[in-house]
Amino acid sequence: MRYAYALTGALLLGGTAASLALQNPATAQIAQNEPGAISAAAPRAGAPMSFADMVAKLQPAVVNISTTQKVTVQQQPNPFAGTPFGDLFGQFGGGGGGGGGGAPVTREGQSLGSGFLISADGYVVTNNHVIAPAAKGATVESITVTLQDKKEYKAKLIGRDPTSDLAVLKITSPTPLPFVKLGDSSRARVGDWVVAIGQPFGLGGTVTAGIVSAVHRQTGGGPFDTFIQTDAAINQGNSGGPMFNLNGEVIGINSQIYSQSGGNIGIGFAIPATEAKPILATLMKGEVVKRGYLGVSIQRMTDDIAGALGLPKDQGEIIGRVEPGGPGAKAGLRAGDVVVAINGQAVTPDRTLSSLVADAAPGSTIKLDVIRDGKRQSLNAVVATRPTDDQLAAINGDGEGDDGLPDDDSGAQATPGSSSLGISVQPLTPQIARSIGVDSTVQGVVVAGVDPSSDAGQKLKRGDVISAVNSQPVRTGADVARIVAAAKAAGRPSVLLSLTRGRQTGGFVAVKIK
């Protein structure tokens, strides 16, 4: 995924269907595109002939946003330091003199993006990444908003929310400013016309048109990344600009593009206006956006996991890890629970567990419907305040590293059950736990070998610790064999492994039975 904004300077990087004579006309099924069946839903003749009148009204409210930034970069050490040429080459940025040091230097850079006015007194909406430091070591010195008439205003940052990638700016003008209103994006349908206005590549106001390609599109970039997808051309510099429907309502805020080259290929994404409204209202007050938090890690219900659990796909999400002492733990949630509803609202790919919990006010009580060991039950949880993204990253850790196991087999035994999965396992001892970097409280069996031709070969690696199979704890290879054999006898195509990899705990992986 690429953000759709630009960096410059030091930051540049008809016929009738036949039917059988004996068919009952009242119940006859006709083609979906039968002329008589779609006439009422078809666009009016000649529409849209032109977007010009609409654009003339809307474009004055769309602005260009630019920032000036200071970037501190570490120079490369002078490779000629300590030689007769050290002083000569040092002057070209190699660290200077004969010391060969790579002293940091400060350079200037700029970023470009789009935005739009939402009030006559100068409130501007854009993406957070448009006005955020664009590189490590960068600081934003100033933000400038340029209107269609080329008037420039210095902008004040009122509020920002990195999680939703939204920001609100404020400019001051002696006269009322043109503005647009946010509409109801929940009524947008696939196939609707949309118009995007922005400042791609800093060229000035540019208008593109297309249709809604998808709604509730998830890109995998985060727990709240549900977008409207469009084929209207969106390029670098369009970030923060508005997406309009044919009524002139803002139904989305252009945010990202999918592209291998950085240019438009007809896959762009906009933050739905309905989801942005409450966030923007909070930011306009200068307040911090607060979201609900359960203290759990979540995995989507893939086909493999659903098959291993014997549950329908696309219903619910599985709890991977429960933070000790967190709201989820206090409510009685366990790793392996499948949460299927929050306050009676189903958890689906379009309405995820993360978004439902985030919408709950911190301090409020929510009802969780979960499936545990094949049985449905309800739990009540008091929601806490979600930490920042940086704090969550520090809590979760990265868990990468060497597997820490000896290179030989070390007595690992491939039991019938584990070989049915394409792995060999051995009991996890304290010594092995220390060598592979897992917490001393972790129990289970450690993967000593993986058959690369198996499904496990694509998902597991040496040093992974399996704590449970199909929610049943395992401590030996025989435990694994017994549970896998039972699953195979029950006709299950796969089993669900509770996995620990380094400092990462609580993950679930569905592995097919050979």
Side-chain angles (χ1 to χ4, degrees):
M1 300 302 300
R2 297 178 182 270
Y3 287 125
Y5 78 127
L7 296 176
T8 63
L11 297 182
L12 181 61
L13 304 184
T16 302
S19 60
L20 292 175
L22 298 178
Q23 196 172 34
N24 185 347
T27 59
Q29 179 70 29
I30 64 174
Q32 295 298 107
N33 58 345
E34 188 74 24
I38 66 170
S39 58
R44 65 185 184 275
M49 292 295 292
S50 173
F51 299 110
D53 291 339
M54 184 180 81
V55 170
K57 282 283 189 180
L58 301 174
Q59 198 163 25
V62 182
V63 304
N64 169 261
I65 297 174
S66 62
T67 70
T68 58
Q69 304 189 13
K70 296 288 187 181
V71 190
T72 301
V73 296
Q74 189 75 31
Q75 291 193 101
Q76 294 297 320
N78 182 3
F80 297 97
T83 74
F85 302 100
D87 291 335
L88 174 62
F89 287 96
Q91 64 182 301
F92 297 108
V105 296
T106 300
R107 298 173 180 168
E108 291 188 355
Q110 293 180 319
S111 70
L112 296 172
S114 304
F116 57 99
L117 287 148
I118 58 170
S119 69
D121 58 348
Y123 282 97
V124 178
V125 172
T126 188
N127 285 143
N128 175 68
H129 71 261
V130 170
I131 51 84
K136 186 177 181 180
T139 58
V140 177
E141 300 291 308
S142 65
I143 304 173
T144 301
V145 170
T146 305
L147 273 60
Q148 186 189 24
D149 59 9
K150 306 304 180 183
K151 290 183 180 179
E152 295 185 356
Y153 300 86
K154 291 298 180 183
K156 177 183 178 182
L157 177 61
I158 301 301
R160 62 197 299 174
D161 180 46
T163 300
S164 64
D165 194 25
L166 291 171
V168 174
L169 311 176
K170 180 71 165 63
I171 61 175
T172 301
S173 171
T175 57
L177 295 163
F179 68 96
V180 291
K181 298 187 295 185
L182 294 169
D184 183 3
S185 61
S186 67
R187 299 170 62 184
R189 300 191 304 165
V190 174
D192 282 348
W193 279 102
V194 289
V195 174
I197 304 180
Q199 306 274 346
F201 304 107
L203 295 173
T206 301
V207 181
T208 58
I211 62 170
V212 173
S213 303
V215 294
H216 306 297
R217 178 67 81 207
Q218 296 174 353
T219 62
F224 313 111
D225 64 341
T226 301
F227 297 98
I228 298 173
Q229 181 181 326
T230 181
D231 67 346
I234 296 176
N235 286 291
Q236 295 180 25
N238 271 117
S239 271
M243 175 190 288
F244 296 99
N245 62 18
L246 290 194
N247 293 323
E249 300 170 325
V250 179
I251 61 168
I253 302 160
N254 301 323
S255 178
Q256 299 180 20
I257 59 175
Y258 178 81
S259 175
Q260 295 90 348
S261 64
N264 171 65
I265 61 170
I267 305 177
F269 303 95
I271 302 168
T274 301
E275 296 184 14
K277 279 181 181 179
I279 298 172
L280 296 174
T282 299
L283 296 179
M284 288 176 68
K285 298 175 186 176
E287 299 175 356
V288 176
V289 177
K290 295 181 179 180
R291 296 177 172 85
Y293 179 69
L294 274 182
V296 298
S297 65
I298 303 166
Q299 288 185 239
R300 300 283 169 85
M301 185 66 74
T302 64
D303 291 350
D304 286 347
I305 292 178
L309 295 175
L311 297 174
K313 64 179 181 179
D314 296 335
Q315 293 183 26
E317 292 181 326
I318 189 168
I319 301 298
R321 181 183 64 86
V322 180
E323 180 184 320
K330 292 177 180 178
L333 275 176
R334 302 177 188 174
D337 285 348
V338 177
V339 182
V340 295
I342 300 288
N343 289 338
Q345 186 166 358
V347 176
T348 68
D350 291 343
R351 202 71 171 104
T352 65
L353 176 57
S354 292
S355 62
L356 289 170
V357 173
D359 288 345
S364 65
T365 300
I366 60 174
K367 177 187 175 184
L368 307 168
D369 290 337
V370 306
I371 295 177
R372 179 184 296 169
D373 298 330
K375 298 179 181 179
R376 188 170 181 135
Q377 57 183 283
S378 296
L379 304 171
N380 293 319
V382 178
V383 178
T385 301
R386 186 180 188 272
T388 66
D389 292 342
D390 290 341
Q391 290 170 333
L392 287 174
I395 292 171
N396 294 332
D398 57 21
E400 293 298 324
D402 192 21
D403 64 20
L405 287 172
D407 289 334
D408 57 32
D409 290 337
S410 302
Q413 297 297 317
T415 64
S418 56
S419 62
S420 294
L421 299 180
I423 59 175
S424 60
V425 301
Q426 64 185 103
L428 178 65
T429 65
Q431 294 81 4
I432 294 177
R434 285 193 298 269
S435 69
I436 62 178
V438 301
D439 191 89
S440 60
T441 60
V442 176
Q443 294 182 303
V445 295
V446 61
V447 176
V450 184
D451 179 358
S453 65
S454 67
D455 183 50
Q458 310 303 313
K459 301 173 180 179
L460 305 180
K461 66 179 184 179
R462 276 170 49 86
D464 285 345
V465 176
I466 302 171
S467 298
V469 179
N470 284 354
S471 300
Q472 301 180 53
V474 293
R475 300 294 180 263
T476 66
D479 292 338
V480 177
R482 172 177 48 81
I483 300 169
V484 172
K488 191 172 185 178
R492 297 280 179 88
S494 56
V495 292
L496 190 67
L497 311 181
S498 176
L499 207 66
T500 297
R501 178 172 293 169
R503 293 296 173 182
Q504 291 181 334
T505 60
F508 286 89
V509 175
V511 175
K512 294 178 181 178
I513 302 172
K514 295 175 62 178

